[in-house]
Amino acid sequence: GISTDHLLNLLGAVIPRPLLLVVPEFHANDFERLKSDAVSLYQRLCECWKRDGERARASLMGPPKWTRANGKLGSPEKLNVLFAALDACLGDNPTSFGGFNELEKLCPQELEKACLKAATAPQSPFFPLCAEYIRLRDEFGVVTSAYFISWAREELRRRKAARNILSFDDLLTRLHEALQGERGDALATAVMQRFRAALIDEFQDTDGIQDAIFQRLFGDGTGWLYLIGDPKQAIYGFRG
């Protein structure tokens, strides 16, 4: 799920890799679409639980059908706790939304896995809606992550500019951006007029940005590019 720790881990993985392409590409209307879908699905879940909740309860509380290895369902005590959580979030006067954490257990595929081989999995119109919720939840997580990465990259650049901060990584990324920009050819020509050859020692410890700069300046055959390195001696494994 989406949490502060999840977003911080994303930040740590993406910020040092400016060339990393994030897919799917985020679009501003994705949130509005997901919001509309979520509101509609919540209404359908509430209506179905009100209409078919008793049938779902009876199906789950029927004859013993759960495998011993399954710890998510099975005992009347666990089921009653689950029912209470669903009542609290899907009833006429919701008091808690913790029951949404329980919906994954009621997806048809999860119920199938939890049942004994000879048993018939519980049936209710409510269970397919649980699977639909999980799909929507996961899509929301992907879209939120993509949006956060896009926002964080631009926000970090803005805050650095406001504080006149320039890191060593920024020196590389700015040069790379300049070489890829409108005046990139002129910049590359100016550099190559001054340096006809480049010798890169310990090449195994360079990253994607550095390699892209070398290739842009000296990789077209008009200059000399010497790469010296040994993959077995790489000390920056996190660079790939």
Side-chain angles (χ1 to χ4, degrees):
I2 298 297
S3 65
T4 302
D5 287 341
H6 168 76
L7 295 178
L8 286 174
N9 288 335
L10 271 182
L11 200 63
V14 171
I15 293 300
R17 298 172 174 83
L19 296 183
L20 186 66
L21 179 64
V22 177
V23 292
E25 184 178 353
F26 168 76
H27 298 285
N29 62 355
D30 287 339
F31 273 128
E32 289 303 316
R33 174 181 58 81
L34 288 171
K35 178 181 176 181
S36 176
D37 290 347
V39 170
S40 174
L41 180 57
Y42 177 66
Q43 292 173 344
R44 292 161 57 202
L45 280 166
C46 290
E47 292 169 0
C48 190
W49 184 246
K50 185 175 182 179
R51 182 181 64 248
D52 296 300
E54 289 304 320
R55 177 180 171 184
R57 295 172 197 257
S59 180
L60 291 165
M61 293 287 281
K65 57 174 69 69
W66 312 108
T67 61
R68 285 191 177 184
N70 177 61
K72 296 180 181 179
L73 297 170
S75 70
E77 293 78 11
K78 289 181 180 179
L79 288 171
N80 284 326
V81 170
L82 184 149
F83 297 150
L86 293 178
D87 286 336
C89 71
L90 299 177
D92 292 333
N93 298 298
T95 57
S96 168
F97 292 98
F100 282 104
N101 297 326
E102 308 295 327
L103 294 183
E104 188 168 6
K105 303 173 185 177
L106 300 180
C107 294
Q109 63 270 29
E110 293 298 321
L111 293 173
E112 289 280 355
K113 289 191 296 185
C115 282
L116 295 167
K117 290 184 178 180
T120 301
Q123 302 293 319
S124 166
F126 182 74
F127 301 147
L129 288 180
C130 295
E132 192 172 338
Y133 163 78
I134 297 302
R135 179 198 61 76
L136 188 64
R137 180 203 65 183
D138 292 347
E139 184 181 0
F140 179 81
V142 170
V143 169
T144 301
S145 298
Y147 168 77
F148 175 75
I149 292 170
S150 175
W151 172 85
R153 282 174 164 170
E154 291 302 317
E155 182 66 10
L156 181 60
R157 181 188 293 263
R158 186 192 67 79
R159 292 189 185 188
K160 282 183 176 180
R163 293 167 174 78
N164 293 318
I165 295 173
L166 198 64
S167 69
F168 288 112
D169 284 340
D170 293 329
L171 297 177
L172 292 170
T173 55
R174 287 195 175 190
L175 175 57
H176 177 264
E177 290 171 359
L179 287 168
Q180 303 301 321
E182 294 181 359
R183 304 186 62 186
D185 289 342
L187 176 58
T189 299
V191 172
M192 290 190 63
Q193 286 176 346
R194 185 175 179 184
F195 304 101
R196 300 299 298 166
L199 188 152
I200 314 300
D201 196 14
E202 304 294 348
F203 179 72
Q204 74 275 359
D205 293 326
T206 57
D207 60 18
I209 285 282
Q210 293 168 332
D211 183 54
I213 292 172
F214 303 148
Q215 296 300 329
R216 178 70 173 86
L217 293 173
F218 301 99
D220 61 358
T222 58
W224 297 91
L225 178 62
Y226 299 93
L227 306 177
I228 304 170
D230 181 357
K232 295 180 181 179
Q233 297 183 21
I235 62 174
Y236 298 115
F238 60 88
R239 289 179 173 172

